[in-house]
Amino acid sequence: MKFLLAVILVSISLFAQENIKDSIVKIYTVAKIPNYNIPWNSKLRQASGSGSIIEGNRILTNAHVVANETFIEIKRYGQTKRYEAEVEYISHQVDLAILKVKDESFFKGTKSLKLGTLPKVQQKITVYGFPMGGNALSVTTGVVSRIEHTRYVHSGELFLAIQIDAAINPGSSGGPAISNDKIVGVVMQQIKKSQNIGYLVPSEIVQHFLDDIKDGKCDGFAHLGLSTQKMENKALRELYKMSEDLSGVKVMDISQKSPSHKLLKDGDILLGIDGHNIENDGTVEFMPEQFTSLIYYVDKKQLGESVSLNILREGKIKKVDVKLTNIADDDLLVDTIEHDVMPRYFIFGGYVFTPLTRNLLLHSRSNLLKLRQAAGKWATPQRDEVVILLRVLADESNRGDHQFSLWIVDELNGEKFKDFESFKEMVLSNRDKFTVLKNEDGVEVAIDTKKARAVEKRILQRYSIKSSMSE
């Protein structure tokens, strides 16, 4: 009888696995890859990834699988025909995307996979996908080894992630991780030069994304717009009148554009969030005896909702409710890693200007301290972007300045500017004899305004550049 029961259970398991396989797809993409050091140039790249069929005849995958795409095709497991698809919704923040197949016959005979709940540590999972090294579907098993906030490579932001020990390789991205026949995560990234350490976007994050797009647009994940300091030092705790029974973190700095700015002050101690105690190291308990960043309870909210904070201010405890209206890009001076857009640039007399982006910092591998520092600052109502002199296209009209590169511009003819667009308009409308650029150290670059306009066509032809500015 026991043998018969075992055979039945194995049969059910194999049947369920076959049903899951029918819901796995391979994604083929052609993408336009920008060159941030030479912003008028780009190249095409072909790649592949994985995905799964979910409710509503949609394909769930990673954003990085289809980022900067120019053409997408999808193929079902066990078939050879490719179908054209397009991005319906995408969240570069949490590396998720929903694809729509143009031919509805693609879904004939398929069943959609359902989302499960957040798994527990040591829970067994099975990963499905089409990694490099072959064309057939790959199925690997492993266990959940860790759940905590991790930096998502695609956006550079911190979100909850599941660490697993199942084998993950390029091409696996976007495939589902299954437990109890439900999706508990989406394959996202791996640690290079490691022994089977991979990461999943948890089903909690996926569900937030799906709830977000129900109104037809992707608003994103909220951002508090503040930085904090741990309160583990006894003397520091005494300085801020924290009794032994209290724990929390100190507010160090708040973005002027954040909704927190008018409600919180530098030096406030955050004690709790939505009824959950904040530890002295900035973590909260999100599962029994498991801790992660306090922003876990911010990530659970949709934009427009509020989060409740218990704070200690000058020895007194009070409660404030912060309405979550901003994403990280609203608060930061230099936005998070951008995708699906070409770099912006403007050429004037051979001087190439562009906004400072994290993409540029990554691709230039620059160690310039000032650029790194700028990337860590908050935006203000007066300054929303950093403009840099990227390089100088050598010409006799700009001799003496050919060495300038990755140089921050702080003033134009003695005036400040809010962003790249306003800087460009100031240059184009300038009627002074000279266009004078200045950085915060007082170093100046002087451009003969009339001569710069006169040599534009010659310089563009010399360097085979179609336009003096991006579209």
Side-chain angles (χ1 to χ4, degrees):
M1 184 60 123
K2 289 183 179 180
F3 175 74
L4 180 60
L5 180 61
V7 171
I8 292 172
L9 290 175
V10 170
S11 298
I12 292 173
S13 176
L14 291 174
F15 179 74
Q17 191 176 84
E18 285 304 313
N19 280 343
I20 291 170
K21 288 180 178 180
D22 290 337
S23 301
I24 312 302
V25 302
K26 185 171 184 177
I27 302 169
Y28 301 85
T29 63
V30 179
K32 185 179 182 181
I33 309 302
N35 186 330
Y36 285 86
N37 291 300
I38 310 175
W40 49 87
N41 279 357
S42 63
K43 63 181 180 180
L44 293 179
R45 182 181 68 193
Q46 295 187 38
S48 66
S50 307
S52 58
I53 299 172
I54 62 171
E55 188 177 6
N57 284 353
R58 288 171 161 176
I59 306 297
L60 174 65
T61 187
N62 283 142
H64 78 256
V65 170
V66 293
N68 305 308
E69 56 83 19
T70 59
F71 190 72
I72 303 173
E73 288 182 307
I74 294 180
K75 183 179 72 174
R76 279 173 52 185
Y77 162 74
Q79 296 189 1
T80 58
K81 183 179 178 180
R82 297 187 188 185
Y83 292 76
E84 191 176 346
E86 59 188 2
V87 175
E88 186 177 17
Y89 298 102
I90 193 163
S91 172
H92 292 297
Q93 275 187 293
V94 292
D95 201 1
L96 292 173
I98 294 292
L99 308 185
K100 182 180 180 180
V101 183
K102 295 184 178 181
D103 186 348
E104 286 291 319
S105 67
F106 172 86
F107 296 98
K108 188 176 180 180
T110 64
K111 289 186 179 181
S112 58
L113 297 177
K114 299 185 182 299
L115 285 182
T117 57
L118 191 66
K120 297 179 180 179
V121 173
Q122 294 187 320
Q123 184 170 324
K124 184 179 178 181
I125 56 163
T126 304
V127 174
Y128 294 80
F130 293 89
M132 61 183 294
N135 295 315
L137 177 67
S138 170
V139 181
T140 58
T141 60
V143 296
V144 174
S145 52
R146 187 181 294 161
I147 304 175
E148 62 184 0
H149 272 67
T150 299
R151 194 167 300 280
Y152 284 27
V153 172
H154 187 64
S155 66
E157 293 190 57
L158 283 171
F159 291 103
L160 193 70
I162 300 171
Q163 182 180 311
I164 60 173
D165 66 358
I168 291 176
N169 291 294
S172 297
S173 293
I178 304 293
S179 184
N180 298 321
D181 299 334
K182 291 184 178 180
I183 299 174
V184 295
V186 175
V187 176
M188 171 179 57
Q189 61 198 42
Q190 64 177 145
I191 296 181
K192 293 181 179 179
K193 299 180 181 179
S194 66
Q195 292 293 324
N196 292 343
I197 299 180
Y199 291 92
L200 310 176
V201 181
S203 53
E204 277 194 7
I205 299 289
V206 178
Q207 188 61 61
H208 184 291
F209 170 59
L210 295 178
D211 290 341
D212 181 4
I213 63 177
K214 284 180 179 178
D215 62 356
K217 64 182 190 300
C218 182
D219 296 311
F221 283 69
H223 190 254
L224 273 178
L226 52 85
S227 56
T228 61
Q229 179 182 354
K230 296 178 181 180
M231 293 297 287
E232 296 174 316
N233 178 271
K234 185 177 180 179
L236 189 63
R237 289 171 56 80
E238 290 180 1
L239 178 65
Y240 283 89
K241 302 176 182 179
M242 288 183 69
S243 60
E244 287 292 330
D245 61 326
L246 293 179
S247 64
V249 290
K250 180 172 74 76
V251 176
M252 291 196 304
D253 192 21
I254 310 170
S255 166
Q256 292 182 36
K257 301 184 76 175
S258 166
S260 306
H261 189 258
K262 293 181 179 180
L263 299 170
L264 300 175
K265 296 180 180 180
D266 293 356
D268 283 348
I269 307 298
L270 302 184
L271 303 174
I273 180 167
D274 271 359
H276 302 276
N277 188 57
I278 298 175
E279 303 298 326
N280 290 321
D281 62 355
T283 62
V284 291
E285 189 174 29
F286 71 105
M287 294 178 76
E289 299 182 345
Q290 289 194 58
F291 296 81
T292 191
S293 170
L294 67 89
I295 62 175
Y296 173 80
Y297 290 105
V298 177
D299 295 341
K300 292 180 77 68
K301 304 284 186 175
Q302 295 287 347
L303 279 182
E305 295 181 341
S306 295
V307 66
S308 178
L309 298 172
N310 290 335
I311 66 172
L312 179 69
R313 180 181 294 170
E314 297 175 354
K316 296 181 180 179
I317 296 176
K318 62 184 298 185
K319 178 182 175 182
V320 296
D321 291 326
V322 180
K323 188 173 182 179
L324 302 170
T325 59
N326 287 8
I327 62 172
D329 286 352
D330 296 323
D331 295 323
L332 295 170
L333 181 59
V334 178
D335 287 352
T336 53
I337 300 171
E338 62 184 19
H339 304 277
D340 296 334
V341 292
M342 292 299 292
R344 289 171 290 158
Y345 71 90
F346 168 53
I347 303 174
F348 183 70
Y351 296 83
V352 182
F353 303 99
T354 186
L356 177 62
T357 63
R358 295 182 193 275
N359 301 64
L360 178 62
L361 289 173
L362 288 170
H363 287 81
S364 65
R365 296 180 181 177
S366 169
N367 290 319
L368 291 177
L369 182 60
K370 288 186 183 296
L371 297 186
R372 301 289 175 184
Q373 289 175 333
K377 293 181 178 179
W378 299 119
T380 68
Q382 296 76 34
R383 194 184 192 194
D384 204 28
E385 272 185 318
V386 176
V387 175
I388 65 170
L389 173 55
L390 178 64
R391 63 176 64 233
V392 179
L393 303 174
D395 183 76
E396 65 86 20
S397 63
N398 53 40
R399 288 180 63 187
D401 289 343
H402 299 169
Q403 78 280 6
F404 279 93
S405 67
L406 299 172
W407 187 79
I408 295 177
V409 183
D410 290 298
E411 292 182 8
L412 172 58
N413 286 357
E415 294 184 28
K416 301 285 187 178
F417 43 87
K418 181 178 181 180
D419 51 27
F420 180 68
E421 189 62 28
S422 59
F423 168 81
K424 185 182 72 175
E425 292 304 319
M426 287 172 66
V427 173
L428 292 174
S429 61
N430 179 40
R431 294 295 177 265
D432 294 347
K433 178 175 175 57
F434 297 105
T435 300
V436 182
L437 314 174
K438 190 176 182 179
N439 72 2
E440 63 178 10
D441 297 325
V443 179
E444 292 182 322
V445 172
I447 305 171
D448 187 308
T449 305
K450 187 176 180 180
K451 186 178 291 185
R453 293 192 174 107
V455 301
E456 177 183 307
K457 185 176 180 180
R458 180 181 75 202
I459 291 177
L460 293 181
Q461 288 179 339
R462 177 182 296 169
Y463 290 92
S464 302
I465 304 171
K466 287 187 177 181
S467 175
S468 62
M469 64 183 74
S470 51
E471 293 182 2

